[in-house]
């Protein structure tokens, strides 16, 4: 890229690409995905050599082992991302779906039809495989994309972006549909381009996502926090509650859909908490309890900060609550709107919980850890959103889509309807 | 309201109301609407007396006649708004609609279910009937609402808001679901409450809407501009094109879905433009033309600003373009993404236009003026959006809705799926 090319230039080029991209056929985009998968396979040596450069620099800089592991892009990772691109090909084309069809009057037919949003800005941290995943999701859905990865993966990201863009463009996709940003200053510039970029998807730590959300007028799809709860109701099967709470917390602690707070109805606390403690004896789990919890099973006394904490670790806040409504109130006050679970045999209690907990995912008698696009069967996951508009919870390809209204007439004008000479029929038609 | 109550307090009260409000039944909300309609009827004298106070003050302040007309809230307006409230009762409950249902595994059922967004902030200009319309839309959809009307309608708005809130609360709706803001400072305070307010809907002039969009981190649903186009293609039926262009521009000029620019294919310009000029001879229409237009039919030469102008008046910019793609490029460059029309007998040209014009409403052989929630048969109109996410074009009640994911299990945990011991079925189920 030349020295004088600005991020605004890149965004403008991406926006120009959205027009022909939105008009491509699903078959053409699937062929481009096929070409991308093939190019990734053919350029394996180049990609892995670029990654070795990044790894060597990162090791010299003393990057911690878990980060080095995330940065690594080897044959296994390559196979995984190619399999991901291949799987997208099999999904139905998300463009052009007729969502509603109405006859407004004889010969005047209105359709609401899905279309791409336009230009998506994606910012992710070190894992280079995220670049392949998100750019292929954008290609499948007909969106142009501006990508910014972690700077420690600079050479890998550049090699991947060049490979993907060139392969897709050679397969007929419009020039400029994929743009790579490389510096923090590029990100700051991107966040200001609200007339050119339609949606920002940040992937990374909560602090990072919160920073993005606070520094842009562009809509942001994502979640800063995952403070998920399991509430054990008075009517819970306690064996089930132990299993669900343990899986929610311990099955994998470092993820946003792991439980961070356990709420227990006062009437079952004396039975449930010792059983839970016994079941998690091998999990090296630290409990931070309210006074009643500490009285029953010991553990560290919780302070106010624990109720809002996203530990992402083998730590669990535990609070005994007087009743269902106190549990709901606790969750609505301290939760992050991500995923909350009730364990109960009482259908009315479950209904009350699921109607009144203000979260994207409200579960009954199952683990918080199911809150995931792949587990939901969405086919592909764009991310998890705690937004209250557009898309909520695990977001599949349809989170990258919007719609336009197409009206087809035969010279129809409004005047006779305004005069009362003609009436609308507003007849619902099938969408097939 | 006491002196020490802040806008944040009001918003917090509204947010608290969202939890029980989202859990109300459709029948309960319809009863509340019924109570609101009845209270408006019973308090007609009080409402109209309040309006006379506002009118007297406005007249004393020398408010212009069209604004006085908008401010007036008489028996006719009251009947209209009551009819509007009544019509909402007849619409299906938008809460609790099952949008998808999937079996993840035996006994583990995922549903995506519609629910209210939460707290909506609505800012509108002088017409007091807008207060009734928007608060009843929010009530129907289970959203809490903060309302700010024009200060010249202060007494009317207060009387209306008191009537509606009290009637709904007496009918069982949660306290605080409707809050009235009264000053510009209140609006500034509201725009900063992004943790309490989920969506802002501004209604008013473009400058006003643009100001709101630029001064809040809260998502905004609306449109600043309505720069709508009619393109007369080489394959147009010219009589139809004249009628559609005239209706689009002249049927009602002061509205966002009126055409502002007419684009004409060069090959038909010499036939079409004189015919259009003759047809609009009685419409006192001022034409601002490109050089070729002026050559053919005279008129004022257009300057660059005319291509982006929203006249909202009997003025039309006219440009002759070499071909369809030039028309599409003009619209995508100068348009506002509101409503654009092609008149053509060529289905391929229409498809190209509708796929490539990036607007919420893309029409073929009909007037721009159909772009309206009532004409679309949406049942009620929240507004018209030029957003690229959530809701686009005329927005009905579903623009006030989002969804949550409900997952119901029988003690299901993730561990056996992560181990490979169990597989997801991901079987699509009906939504009925």
């Amino acid at each position: 890229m030349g020295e004088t090319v600005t991020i605004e230039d890149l965004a403008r080029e991406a926006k120009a690409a959205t027009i022909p991209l939105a008009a491509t056929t699903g078959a053409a985009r699937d062929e481009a995905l096929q070409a991308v998968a093939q190019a990734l396979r053919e350029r394996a040596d180049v990609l892995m050599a670029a990654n070795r450069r990044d790894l060597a620099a990162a090791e010299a800089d003393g990057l911690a082992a878990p980060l080095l592991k995330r940065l690594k892009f080897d044959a296994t990772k390559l196979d995984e991302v190619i399999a991901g691109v291949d799987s997208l090909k099999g999904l139905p084309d998300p463009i052009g779906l007729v969502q509603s069809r109405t006859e407004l009057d004889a010969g005047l037919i209105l359709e609401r039809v899905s279309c791409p949003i336009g230009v998506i800005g994606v910012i992710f941290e070190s894992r280079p495989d995220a670049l392949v995943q998100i750019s292929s999701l954008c290609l499948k859905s007909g969106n142009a994309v501006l990508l910014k990865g972690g700077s420690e993966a600079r050479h890998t990201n550049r090699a991947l972006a060049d490979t993907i863009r060139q392969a897709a463009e050679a397969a007929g996709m419009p020039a400029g549909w994929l743009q790579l940003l490389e510096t923090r200053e590029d990100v700051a510039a991107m966040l200001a381009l609200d007339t050119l970029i339609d949606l920002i998807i940040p992937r990374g730590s909560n602090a990072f996502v919160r920073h993005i959300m606070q520094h842009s007028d562009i809509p942001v799809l994502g979640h800063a926090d995952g403070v998920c709860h399991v509430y054990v109701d008075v009517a819970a099967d306690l064996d089930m509650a132990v299993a669900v709470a343990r899986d929610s917390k311990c099955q994998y602690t470092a993820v946003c859909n792991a439980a961070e707070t356990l709420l227990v109805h006062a009437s079952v606390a004396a039975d449930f908490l010792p059983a839970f403690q016994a079941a998690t004896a091998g999990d090296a789990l630290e409990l931070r309890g309210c006074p009643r919890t500490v009285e029953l099973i010991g553990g560290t006394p919780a302070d106010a900060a624990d109720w809002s904490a996203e530990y992402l670790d083998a730590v669990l806040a535990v609070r005994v609550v007087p009743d269902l409504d106190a549990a709901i109130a606790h969750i609505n006050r301290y939760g992050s709107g991500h995923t909350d679970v009730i364990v109960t045999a009482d259908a009315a209690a479950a209904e009350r919980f699921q109607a009144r907990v203000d979260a994207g995912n409200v579960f009954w008698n199952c683990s918080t850890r199911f809150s995931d696009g792949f587990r939901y069967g969405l086919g592909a996951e764009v991310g998890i959103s705690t937004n209250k508009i557009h898309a909520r919870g695990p977001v599949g390809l349809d989170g990258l889509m919007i719609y336009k209204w197409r009206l087809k007439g035969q010279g129809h004008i409004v005047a006779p309807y305004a005069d009362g000479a003609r009436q609308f029929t507003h007849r619902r038609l099938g969408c097939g």
Side-chain angles (χ1 to χ4, degrees), chain A residues 163-207:
Chain A
T163 301
I164 295 168
R165 183 178 51 223
Q166 287 164 15
E169 292 180 10
M173 295 297 109
W177 75 277
L178 183 154
Q179 305 283 355
L180 185 66
L181 278 50
E182 301 209 308
T183 68
R184 278 166 189 267
E185 293 69 34
D186 289 356
V187 172
M190 174 170 80
L191 295 182
L193 298 175
D194 58 305
T195 59
L196 296 172
I197 299 172
D198 299 301
L199 184 66
I200 297 280
I201 303 178
R203 297 181 165 202
S205 70
N206 2 8

Side-chain angles (χ1 to χ4, degrees), chain A residues 32 63 76 158 167 184 205 287 358:
Chain A
L63 207 66
T76 308
R158 207 178 286 172
R184 278 166 189 267
S205 70
L287 301 181
D358 182 22

Side-chain angles (χ1 to χ4, degrees), chain A residues 297-320:
Chain A
I297 56 165
T300 316
D303 61 31
D306 283 300
W307 308 131
S308 311
E310 185 180 20
Y311 303 115
L312 297 171
D313 204 347
V315 183
L316 182 66
V318 186
R319 186 175 201 177
V320 176

Side-chain angles (χ1 to χ4, degrees), chain A residues 165-345:
Chain A
R165 183 178 51 223
Q166 287 164 15
E169 292 180 10
M173 295 297 109
W177 75 277
L178 183 154
Q179 305 283 355
L180 185 66
L181 278 50
E182 301 209 308
T183 68
R184 278 166 189 267
E185 293 69 34
D186 289 356
V187 172
M190 174 170 80
L191 295 182
L193 298 175
D194 58 305
T195 59
L196 296 172
I197 299 172
D198 299 301
L199 184 66
I200 297 280
I201 303 178
R203 297 181 165 202
S205 70
N206 2 8
F208 170 76
V209 174
R210 198 172 296 112
H211 171 87
I212 300 296
M213 289 177 166
Q214 286 165 354
H215 288 82
S216 186
D217 285 341
I218 306 170
V220 175
L221 191 147
H223 65 282
D225 297 300
V227 182
C228 304
H229 300 76
V230 175
Y231 165 61
V232 180
D233 187 45
V234 63
D237 173 321
L238 294 189
D239 290 341
M240 182 194 290
V242 165
V244 166
R246 177 170 179 255
D247 189 80
S248 296
K249 177 70 244 184
C250 303
Q251 198 270 332
Y252 189 27
T253 59
V255 284
C256 63
N257 62 11
E260 305 294 7
T261 299
L262 176 64
L263 301 170
V264 186
H265 191 287
S267 302
V268 298
D271 289 332
F272 170 79
L273 284 172
F276 178 72
Q277 190 175 40
T280 56
D283 295 314
L285 184 61
E286 179 190 343
L287 301 181
R288 301 204 185 155
C290 69
R292 177 65 177 146
T293 300
V294 173
E295 191 177 57
L296 287 167
I297 56 165
T300 316
D303 61 31
D306 283 300
W307 308 131
S308 311
E310 185 180 20
Y311 303 115
L312 297 171
D313 204 347
V315 183
L316 182 66
V318 186
R319 186 175 201 177
V320 176
V321 292
D323 56 25
L324 170 63
D325 281 354
I328 293 169
H330 177 102
I331 293 168
N332 285 335
R333 174 162 178 195
Y334 296 105
S336 60
H338 192 300
T339 301
D340 302 296
V341 168
I342 183 172
V343 183
T344 188

